[in-house]
Amino acid sequence: DAFVASQRLLGGDGSVLGLMALTGEVHAMLHQGDQGDCTDRLRQAVKRHEAAPVTQEWERVLSSAHRVLANRELHAGGYEAAEVEYQRAYDFALSANAPVEVVDALNCLAALHYFRQELAAAESTWRMALEEADRWDLVQHRSVILGNLGELELARGDAAQALLTL
């Protein structure tokens, strides 16, 4: 409700804050299991904003929007579409020089590889995310990624390495 009210006050998704509010609405709705029409509205808003020249702030917000769209695809079983969206999220984050969004996009992309049982790709991508988290001193992100790597090592049957990682 707060995201919807924010959009009303901001006059829709025409501003950075409006797109952030719409992205937040879709994220919240996905967690509730009901996306309504907000996913389509987010796709349309992203398409409009990608066509216009953007600032780093817009690119950061577009990165988050693509990550949310990817999560929606992942929940629906659309792994290929999710991968495309996560890659776009990563590309926008890099362009925006937004370390948190870079790490988030890499973490999500690695998780997608993990769900597909592409363990080598998952590990490689999580290690990239870990390097970025270390580079920018993103301690909480580092902790999450190490947990993911530990789970991957357990899935491979390497309990000793998982224990060290965890």
Side-chain angles (χ1 to χ4, degrees):
D1 290 343
F3 290 121
V4 172
S6 296
Q7 290 174 69
R8 254 193 321 270
L9 288 171
L10 294 166
D13 61 12
S15 68
V16 169
L17 292 175
L19 184 56
M20 288 172 69
L22 179 56
T23 300
E25 177 188 1
V26 173
H27 183 73
M29 296 298 285
L30 287 174
H31 279 286
Q32 295 175 6
D34 175 24
Q35 63 191 348
D37 71 336
C38 57
T39 300
D40 291 335
R41 286 187 292 123
L42 182 58
R43 280 188 206 292
Q44 292 167 2
V46 164
K47 201 176 285 190
R48 274 194 315 274
H49 294 300
E50 284 181 342
V54 293
T55 63
Q56 283 185 323
E57 182 64 13
W58 270 108
E59 289 175 320
R60 187 186 66 73
V61 173
L62 285 167
S63 173
S64 294
H66 277 288
R67 200 171 62 251
V68 167
L69 290 171
N71 290 343
R72 188 264 175 233
E73 293 295 341
L74 184 64
H75 289 291
Y79 293 146
E80 289 78 23
E83 186 167 11
V84 169
E85 292 290 350
Y86 284 137
Q87 186 62 50
R88 293 195 53 93
Y90 175 70
D91 292 342
F92 273 112
L94 277 180
S95 183
N97 193 28
V100 170
E101 285 75 13
V102 166
V103 172
D104 285 342
L106 287 171
N107 185 42
C108 289
L109 189 55
L112 174 64
H113 293 307
Y114 182 80
F115 294 145
R116 289 171 138 173
Q117 296 298 305
E118 299 167 352
L119 301 185
E123 180 178 17
S124 172
T125 307
W126 269 323
R127 296 227 179 265
M128 283 176 51
L130 189 58
E131 285 177 25
E132 286 298 312
D134 286 343
R135 178 177 169 207
W136 295 99
D137 199 26
L138 302 173
V139 177
Q140 184 177 1
H141 285 77
R142 186 177 196 286
S143 175
V144 168
I145 295 164
L146 286 171
N148 292 340
L149 282 168
E151 186 176 321
L152 180 137
E153 291 160 350
L154 280 174
R156 282 192 174 144
D158 192 349
Q161 184 58 46
L163 184 60
L164 289 172
T165 300
L166 294 171

